[in-house]
Amino acid sequence: GEIAQLRVWNVARTEQELVNNLLDVDPESAGLMAYFDFNDGIPEGDNSGISHVLDNTSNNFDGNIIGFDLDGINSNFNQSTLPAAAESTGVLNS
């Protein structure tokens, strides 16, 4: 599977708030504890030296990458176009 973004909130979000920020969110939004966009590596490149992904908020809750080969097209950073997006985005592929 692929994961394009991961956001961790410490507040409940309404359906409308989720829709409004589906593809883009301000990293300094109130209640946003961690935000990973998975743009840390080179798509399908040799990312074997990367051991974590950066948190885009000022909270600095960087995440560890465990169990990924991080080289080639499988189990690595890739590019993908989300169904509702006009341009490609970084994804983590497992």
Side-chain angles (χ1 to χ4, degrees):
E2 294 179 344
I3 186 167
Q5 294 183 352
L6 176 66
R7 303 174 194 164
V8 179
W9 299 85
N10 69 358
V11 295
R13 306 284 291 172
T14 67
E15 180 179 357
Q16 192 58 52
E17 288 173 323
L18 293 172
V19 169
N20 290 346
N21 297 165
L22 185 62
L23 300 175
D24 192 28
V25 66
D26 178 358
E28 298 307 315
S29 297
L32 184 59
M33 298 302 298
Y35 169 41
F36 305 98
D37 62 12
F38 304 114
N39 289 331
D40 305 86
I42 300 167
E44 300 178 11
D46 181 1
N47 296 297
S48 56
I50 297 176
S51 61
H52 64 279
V53 289
L54 300 176
D55 175 11
N56 291 313
T57 73
S58 59
N59 297 322
N60 298 315
F61 293 131
D62 296 344
N64 293 327
I65 299 175
I66 299 171
F68 287 85
D69 293 336
L70 296 173
D71 192 12
I73 62 173
N74 296 316
S75 191
N76 196 0
F77 292 96
N78 291 295
Q79 289 288 324
S80 182
T81 301
L82 301 175
E87 58 189 59
S88 66
T89 182
V91 296
L92 195 56
N93 183 10
S94 67

